[in-house]
Amino acid sequence: MKLVRFGEIGREKPGLVDDNGDIRDLSSMVADIAGEALGAQSLERLSRIDPATLPLAPSGQRIGSCVGRVGNFVAIGLNYADHAAETGAPIPAEPIVFNKAPSCIVGAHDDVIIPRGSQKTDWEVELAIVIGERASYVGANEAMDFVAGYCICNDVSEREYQLERGGTWTKGKGCPTFGPLGPWLVTKDEISDPHDLGMWLDVNGTRMQTGSTKTMIFNLSQIVSYVSHFMILEPGDVITTGTPPGVGMGMKPPRYLKSGDVIDLGIDGLGVQRQRVVAFEEHPIDTSRPGHGRHA
Ligand code: ZN
């Protein structure tokens, strides 16, 4: 199944994508694509629905983040051998784990806002895991039983905040709109081998990143198992699993995002994202508005 959330920011409805690519409204079956709705029993129940019996969503709807109410938004750093090489970093002996603020999550086609004063906003196409069952101290051999599915994440990153301001990477990873997720949550049964998926990212139509999940250092089972030894993972949590080569920081000279840029990215079987890049001044964060750039 391809599950989606559609509608205005903060008021998304659950849906599924039918064989024609149309969105069907799942509101009568499930409250949201979030939390317990992502458990194995719930997904099994949804998979038995004939999409033709569900109402079509109105056309032209905004697509929200494909998972709502994300609690933990965890990321793995330097998890592609070829990307580690481009940054000059050694291959990590254990997964590098950092947090992205859940409040940075937005829809796959929402604007990416360059933070106020930022000079080094960068892109990263990644495969993200969506957790379906509560996971604590799980072994790698059973870890995939705790996974609901996958989606694309653009792990948008501010390199000065991440690397030059002291402290941890978290500073450069959770700014508002730095976590587009979707367009779909693709259940794991639809992807025969998640470790053989092509992935790419363009800026203004020029290919920047080309890679494959084949070159991951730690595989998805290892990642879920590893993270579950440091925190309890809950249904609806998201782990984004690292990026292949071709980020702006790795170019000579480095190339960072500027207002007016358009980012297109995709992973085999998981769809495509497109974001317009805007300056903070053009698109100030409306913190008075619940849901603006938050769990959207
Ligand atoms: Zn990343």
Side-chain angles (χ1 to χ4, degrees):
M1 282 183 293
K2 295 182 175 73
L3 301 170
V4 293
R5 296 169 70 252
F6 63 94
E8 286 174 50
I9 289 175
R11 306 178 66 164
E12 292 88 349
K13 289 181 165 184
L16 67 79
V17 180
D18 68 19
D19 289 341
N20 296 324
D22 295 321
I23 297 176
R24 299 282 176 165
D25 187 339
L26 267 178
S27 299
S28 62
M29 309 302 298
V30 67
D32 197 358
I33 307 298
E36 307 301 324
L38 299 170
Q41 278 190 342
S42 170
L43 293 180
E44 162 66 22
R45 187 175 70 92
L46 296 180
S47 72
R48 288 198 301 268
I49 298 168
D50 175 1
T53 64
L54 298 169
L56 280 166
S59 60
Q61 293 278 302
R62 168 184 170 269
I63 301 294
S65 160
C66 62
V67 53
R69 293 189 280 111
V70 175
N72 294 302
F73 188 8
V74 177
I76 307 299
L78 299 176
N79 194 37
Y80 282 73
D82 33 9
H83 171 60
E86 91 177 322
T87 65
I91 301 284
E94 293 195 41
I96 293 170
V97 177
F98 62 91
N99 285 97
K100 286 180 75 73
S103 53
C104 80
I105 294 172
V106 289
H109 313 309
D110 288 345
D111 292 346
V112 163
I113 301 174
I114 297 175
R116 189 160 56 188
S118 160
Q119 301 293 320
K120 297 185 178 179
T121 298
D122 202 349
W123 55 83
E124 295 190 349
V125 58
E126 305 199 359
L127 181 150
I129 298 165
V130 181
I131 299 294
E133 304 279 350
R134 192 166 218 252
S136 179
Y137 296 106
V138 302
N141 59 339
E142 57 175 348
M144 294 311 289
D145 295 345
F146 297 81
V147 171
Y150 316 109
C151 65
I152 301 170
C153 173
N154 186 355
D155 178 18
V156 183
S157 304
E158 214 295 345
R159 303 303 185 190
E160 181 199 341
Y161 304 174
Q162 177 189 352
L163 301 168
E164 301 171 29
R165 299 286 293 273
T168 75
W169 289 11
T170 295
K171 290 179 189 175
K173 294 288 192 171
C175 302
T177 73
F178 272 22
L181 293 180
W184 317 312
L185 190 175
V186 180
T187 52
K188 66 184 173 194
D189 55 289
E190 289 220 359
I191 303 292
S192 57
D193 183 0
H195 300 102
D196 188 14
L197 303 177
M199 52 206 308
W200 55 271
L201 181 145
D202 294 347
V203 177
N204 302 335
T206 300
R207 184 61 40 98
M208 298 294 184
Q209 292 191 271
T210 306
S212 166
T213 56
K214 273 181 186 168
T215 66
M216 278 189 189
I217 297 166
F218 302 102
N219 67 31
L220 302 182
S221 301
Q222 291 170 321
I223 288 169
V224 172
S225 169
Y226 188 82
V227 175
S228 82
H229 285 68
F230 299 104
M231 68 185 76
I232 296 171
L233 292 168
E234 299 280 7
D237 284 354
V238 173
I239 306 174
T240 189
T241 61
T243 199
V247 301
M249 175 176 63
M251 295 177 177
K252 291 184 180 52
R255 194 284 194 213
Y256 295 112
L257 292 166
K258 56 186 188 309
S259 179
D261 284 344
V262 175
I263 314 170
D264 293 289
L265 57 154
I267 298 180
D268 294 345
L270 303 184
V272 296
Q273 298 189 348
R274 164 171 282 194
Q275 294 108 28
R276 190 172 61 110
V277 178
V278 299
F280 180 87
E281 292 71 19
E282 297 172 287
H283 200 310
I285 311 297
D286 181 0
T287 51
S288 67
R289 191 172 150 207
H292 188 99
R294 180 172 177 77
H295 305 317

